[in-house]
């Protein structure tokens, strides 16, 4: 539970990959001819990439969620350690005083301590399951936010493919001119903070047709 954020570091290997092929979104003759023409002339589709490591380091949503998970994990860990310490104290006291007890008393107390130990182990498992569920929820939110933004951004910029690029991703070289990470991070952070909605509202002209 001390390194709960490690799983999140690999999310973008899946989440950032977004394939937007506009010509494949329909089967109209016009689209077919245009696609064929592009292939015939040898024109390359518009491609860009996002560095997933850089995105994770700078996306405010992910940083906030990671901090929340780490804080929660630390609190749960502290609670578990306090319970374990308390149980260890009871076990130590039992071992120290066992010689003064009757056989039935010792057996009954030993069984009680074993039950408490089993309950503590189950509690630890429940904590782990709870944190895994929280991580899965963050993964899903992260995927949705990045994918939704890239779909809109890819459409606006007429990108046919937006890929993720990071070490060991299988891409050995990518020209810096194709890197849109900074722009994407700025857009994601602006949306996360609600600034893009505020700007859009401010840019909407007032309705002057309303009756006086």
């Amino acid at each position: 539970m001390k390194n709960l954020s490690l799983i999140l570091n690999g999310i973008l290997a899946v989440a950032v990959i977004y394939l937007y092929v506009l010509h494949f979104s329909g089967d109209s003759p016009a689209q077919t001819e245009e696609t064929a023409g592009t292939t015939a002339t040898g024109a390359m589709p518009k491609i860009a990439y996002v560095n997933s490591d850089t995105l994770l380091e700078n996306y405010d949503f992910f940083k906030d969620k990671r901090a929340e998970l780490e804080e929660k994990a630390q609190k749960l860990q502290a609670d578990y350690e306090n319970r374990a310490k308390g149980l260890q104290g009871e076990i130590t006291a039992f071992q120290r005083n066992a010689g003064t007890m009757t056989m039935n008393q010792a057996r009954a107390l030993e069984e009680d301590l074993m039950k408490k130990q089993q309950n503590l182990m189950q509690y630890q498992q429940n904590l782990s399951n709870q944190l895994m569920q929280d991580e899965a929820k963050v993964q899903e939110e992260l995927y949705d936010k990045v994918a939704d933004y890239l779909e809109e951004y890819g459409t606006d910029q007429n990108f046919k493919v937006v890929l993720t690029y990071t070490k060991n991703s299988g891409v050995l070289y990518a020209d810096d001119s194709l890197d849109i990470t900074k722009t994407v991070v700025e857009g994601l952070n602006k949306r996360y903070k609600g600034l893009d909605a505020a700007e859009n509202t401010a840019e909407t002209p007032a309705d002057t047709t309303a009756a006086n």
Side-chain angles (χ1 to χ4, degrees):
M1 288 188 287
K2 294 182 180 179
N3 297 307
L4 295 171
S5 62
L6 291 178
I7 295 177
L8 297 178
N9 291 334
I11 297 172
L12 266 292
V14 176
V16 174
I17 298 178
Y18 171 67
L19 178 63
Y20 185 79
V21 185
L22 185 61
H23 294 285
F24 294 165
S25 63
D27 298 322
S28 65
Q31 289 176 317
T32 303
E33 291 178 7
E34 185 177 353
T35 304
T38 301
T39 304
T41 58
M44 293 294 293
K46 194 173 180 182
I47 298 174
Y49 71 87
V50 173
N51 187 305
S52 59
D53 292 335
T54 302
L55 189 148
L56 284 175
E57 291 174 1
N58 296 281
Y59 186 17
D60 291 336
F61 166 80
F62 178 75
K63 291 192 293 183
D64 290 347
K65 291 299 180 180
R66 179 174 55 190
E68 290 175 10
L69 283 177
E70 290 175 347
E71 181 180 3
K72 183 175 183 178
Q74 291 172 0
K75 290 180 179 179
L76 294 178
Q77 178 70 17
D79 180 61
Y80 168 77
E81 290 177 352
N82 287 335
R83 295 187 182 211
K85 185 178 180 179
L87 178 58
Q88 183 59 49
E90 292 186 46
I91 294 174
T92 300
F94 167 71
Q95 292 172 340
R96 184 173 58 248
N97 301 319
T100 63
M101 301 179 185
T102 66
M103 184 177 296
N104 289 337
Q105 288 176 329
R107 182 181 296 112
L109 185 54
E110 185 177 13
E111 291 177 354
D112 182 61
L113 290 174
M114 290 180 62
K115 184 176 181 180
K116 287 183 178 180
Q117 188 175 35
Q118 292 174 350
N119 290 339
L120 182 63
M121 293 175 62
Q122 183 61 50
Y123 177 69
Q124 183 184 36
Q125 184 60 49
N126 291 341
L127 294 183
S128 297
N129 292 339
Q130 180 180 345
L131 291 172
M132 288 177 63
Q133 291 175 1
D134 291 342
E135 290 171 2
K137 183 179 179 180
V138 170
Q139 290 178 21
E140 184 176 358
E141 288 184 57
L142 178 62
Y143 177 91
D144 290 341
K145 288 180 180 295
V146 174
D148 289 346
Y149 181 80
L150 284 177
E151 181 174 0
E152 296 178 20
Y153 183 78
T155 303
D156 292 339
Q157 300 299 320
N158 197 32
F159 284 118
K160 300 301 180 283
V161 180
V162 177
L163 301 172
T164 181
Y165 175 58
T166 187
K167 187 177 181 180
N168 299 325
S169 64
V171 180
L172 298 179
Y173 171 75
D175 192 277
D176 290 343
S177 64
L178 304 178
D179 188 354
I180 60 172
T181 307
K182 182 178 179 180
T183 301
V184 170
V185 170
E186 290 177 351
L188 284 169
N189 284 337
K190 184 180 292 185
R191 175 167 296 185
Y192 175 55
K193 296 175 181 177
L195 297 179
D196 60 343
E199 289 180 358
N200 291 335
T201 301
E203 293 173 359
T204 303
D207 184 3
T208 59
T209 63
N212 295 326

